[in-house]
Amino acid sequence: MPAATLPLHWISAGEYPAWRGEQSEALRQWLDSSGFTPDRGRWLLLPGIDGATSGVLVAIGKEPLDDRAIFWLGAALADQLPFASYRLARPLPTGELAFMLGWTQGGYRFQRYKLAATLPQRPHLEAPATVDSRYVAAATSASAFARDLINTPANDMGPDQLQQAAAGLTERCNGELRVVRDASLTGQFPLIAAVGQGSPRAPRLLDLRFARPGAPRITLVGKGVCFDTGGLDMKPSANMALMKKDMGGAACALGTAQMLHDLNVPVDLRVLIPAVENSVDGNSFRPGDVWRSRKGLTVEITNTDAEGRLVLADALALASETTPELLVDFATLTGAARVALGPELPAAFSGSQGLLQELISKADTVVDPLWPMPLWDAYDEDLGSRIADLNNAPAGGMAGSITAALFLRRFVTDPARWIHLDIYGWNLKVRPGRPQGAEAQGIRAVVELLRQRFA
Ligand code: BES
Ligand code: MN
Ligand code: ZN
């Protein structure tokens, strides 16, 4: 950490003209010759009398600011300011937590494959007095953990390595890990086995427990498709390019577990990860196959690329067997959710509108936005099959994220206690504070819901 701490003088667009008028002639010259304007996100280093930097002036733009704007302001500053330690010269009127969260998230870089010497050092922000630094540390670490898993390419992040990451987490957080694979997997979780059978990297179910007897029982499920070629219904290359991120749901479920542990949220937690690779091989499952699921429902495979709902179905069936208080799944499940809401806004479903609204309002307070989507009953009939109980990819592809959610609902015993998050898990554009690559989604939102309900 750098030695000196520089004051960060923020100023709103409304305050700027009067403030500028009160400054010394020399400083006014510096502001004007630097072309400083009070538009949000503009910043300028301020010179001291000895020529050294005495602080930084940051424009927060027009007031009022919402938490999302403050979050991205913080993220951009962490990305752009010179390496130094900073502190707010005066409290922000609102959104100090958002500012701090943005700052710490904006400083994330995926470092695994770059020489350390080439990486810039990130500036540091002293936590403002109103901010719970333990919360920020837990949120930042959980998000970086998930992002690292997602960013790691599939050659280094197969089912084995995902299992190792789960083992690392159970060790760190005094949990236990059970792994179901081979003949047991085929017998107990036939859909997980079917999706993974085309890969030499064996499919498995990871069953993590962070027991806390007497506390409410919560189960998280995460889609752990380590690479999604689409299977025999193979994706064209443009659609396959990013599919290392198809274990993004697993990464976010593991990140949520870590954050719940770090904040000591009193829940009796279970995390289920079907870890598979959807590959093309002579042994791959096929279009037209009919498979009996763990729950007993048979599924006609109308598209091998709709594999996520298959592996989740068996995991959700297992989760339902113990009737948890709350069941949450995270999954990079459909391209249709992106068409509807874009990459930044995960689609959220639940059998309870009240639960969904509660989640979404909590999500906003921690700047982890989600958007409500309907489990539209009338579309359920599209899941029918002439020869089986269900098909996995309704013809026509209308309302793709909804029919995927409805498919999952068939395997959940109590949909009113279930939340399904269809996430994208990736940041496509390079913008200040948003490095291109993995994005953790839904972690803070779910943690906040659980903290409010149970802490
Ligand atoms: N992993 C994909 C969904 C996906 C694609 C998420 C692109 C984010 C970005 C999933 O397994 C998939 O391929 N879904 C298909 C389902 C279809 C075949 C019914 C889709 O959404 O196109
Ligand atoms: Mn797929
Ligand atoms: Zn997939």
Side-chain angles (χ1 to χ4, degrees):
M1 203 177 300
T5 299
L6 297 171
L8 189 158
H9 303 277
W10 60 265
I11 191 135
S12 70
E15 292 170 319
Y16 183 69
W19 178 84
R20 182 189 164 283
E22 290 161 11
Q23 304 311 307
S24 68
E25 180 60 34
L27 184 53
R28 270 203 301 275
Q29 277 289 342
W30 175 240
L31 293 167
D32 297 346
S33 63
S34 307
F36 184 81
T37 58
D39 300 313
R40 181 172 311 150
R42 297 293 302 265
W43 57 269
L44 183 66
L45 295 178
L46 299 173
I49 26 175
D50 53 358
T53 306
S54 70
V56 61
L57 179 68
V58 169
I60 65 167
K62 288 204 183 80
E63 291 189 277
L65 288 115
D66 62 25
D67 276 4
R68 219 162 21 246
I70 300 183
F71 181 98
W72 290 114
L73 176 65
L77 291 170
D79 215 357
Q80 297 171 331
L81 288 181
F83 176 59
S85 191
Y86 298 86
R87 63 179 165 77
L88 288 172
R90 56 177 170 146
L92 283 166
T94 157
E96 288 195 328
L97 174 64
F99 187 73
M100 183 88 201
L101 280 172
W103 186 294
T104 57
Q105 311 266 308
Y108 170 84
R109 286 298 176 277
F110 181 49
Q111 311 201 331
R112 181 163 169 166
Y113 300 95
K114 284 270 194 196
L115 290 175
T118 66
L119 293 164
Q121 287 180 291
R122 317 306 303 182
H124 171 77
L125 178 68
E126 280 183 7
T130 62
V131 169
D132 176 358
S133 3
R134 194 171 78 129
Y135 178 85
V136 174
T140 304
S141 163
S143 152
F145 173 44
R147 285 164 121 178
D148 280 348
L149 294 176
I150 299 171
N151 276 324
T152 303
N155 61 307
D156 283 330
M157 187 49 65
D160 249 324
Q161 290 92 341
L162 192 54
Q163 175 180 333
Q164 280 166 30
L169 183 71
T170 50
E171 205 158 297
R172 178 187 184 281
C173 307
N174 304 311
E176 274 173 57
L177 172 64
R178 177 176 75 106
V179 180
V180 185
R181 49 176 289 171
D182 305 316
S184 307
L185 189 79
T186 312
Q188 297 173 42
F189 301 95
L191 294 181
I192 299 175
V195 170
Q197 72 185 20
S199 172
R201 305 200 286 182
R204 64 207 73 188
L205 177 77
L206 310 175
D207 182 356
L208 297 78
R209 305 234 187 194
F210 306 89
R212 188 143 169 172
R217 289 180 305 105
I218 308 299
T219 300
L220 309 177
V221 176
K223 173 178 171 182
V225 175
C226 294
F227 194 75
D228 183 11
T229 64
L232 293 177
D233 289 309
M234 198 163 49
K235 289 180 183 294
S237 48
N239 294 3
M240 204 191 294
L242 281 179
M243 282 299 125
K244 70 172 182 181
K245 77 174 173 74
D246 215 17
M247 34 58 71
C252 291
L254 294 173
T256 303
Q258 185 189 292
M259 188 168 166
L260 289 169
H261 173 266
D262 288 1
L263 294 177
N264 197 22
V265 180
V267 288
D268 187 1
L269 187 68
R270 184 182 203 185
V271 183
L272 298 174
I273 310 282
V276 304
E277 182 170 17
N278 189 18
S279 291
V280 181
D281 184 79
N283 197 41
S284 294
F285 78 128
R286 310 159 198 82
D289 279 1
V290 176
W291 292 87
R292 186 175 298 279
S293 68
R294 175 179 180 85
K295 192 175 176 181
L297 295 170
T298 55
V299 184
E300 180 187 4
I301 307 303
T302 41
N303 193 322
T304 61
D305 198 10
E307 85 298 338
R309 66 196 73 184
L310 297 172
V311 299
L312 290 172
D314 275 355
L316 290 169
L318 172 65
S320 290
E321 287 161 21
T322 58
T323 61
E325 191 87 14
L326 189 67
L327 172 58
V328 183
D329 76 74
F330 300 76
T332 50
L333 198 61
T334 67
R338 270 43 297 151
V339 174
L341 298 172
E344 283 183 27
L345 206 45
F349 298 83
S350 173
S352 159
Q353 288 310 300
L355 177 60
L356 188 57
Q357 284 312 324
E358 190 182 340
L359 171 70
I360 280 162
S361 68
K362 293 293 167 281
D364 284 340
T365 66
V366 288
V367 200
D368 188 14
L370 304 170
W371 205 259
M373 294 281 279
L375 288 161
W376 193 256
D377 288 316
Y379 299 159
D380 191 73
E381 66 181 31
D382 296 353
L383 295 169
S385 159
R386 220 168 311 166
I387 61 170
D389 296 322
L390 286 162
N391 82 83
N392 78 326
M398 303 283 269
S401 72
I402 298 175
T403 53
L406 289 169
F407 182 96
L408 298 182
R409 189 175 68 171
R410 296 279 192 109
F411 297 86
V412 173
T413 306
D414 188 357
R417 293 174 186 271
W418 165 61
I419 290 165
H420 160 54
L421 301 179
D422 193 336
I423 66 173
Y424 190 64
W426 197 261
N427 183 36
L428 287 168
K429 290 184 271 184
V430 185
R431 285 164 291 178
R434 302 187 219 206
Q436 196 262 352
E439 195 62 87
Q441 294 176 310
I443 296 178
R444 290 192 302 279
V446 170
V447 168
E448 205 55 20
L449 176 74
L450 293 173
R451 285 219 298 177
Q452 296 297 322
R453 284 218 156 180
F454 304 117

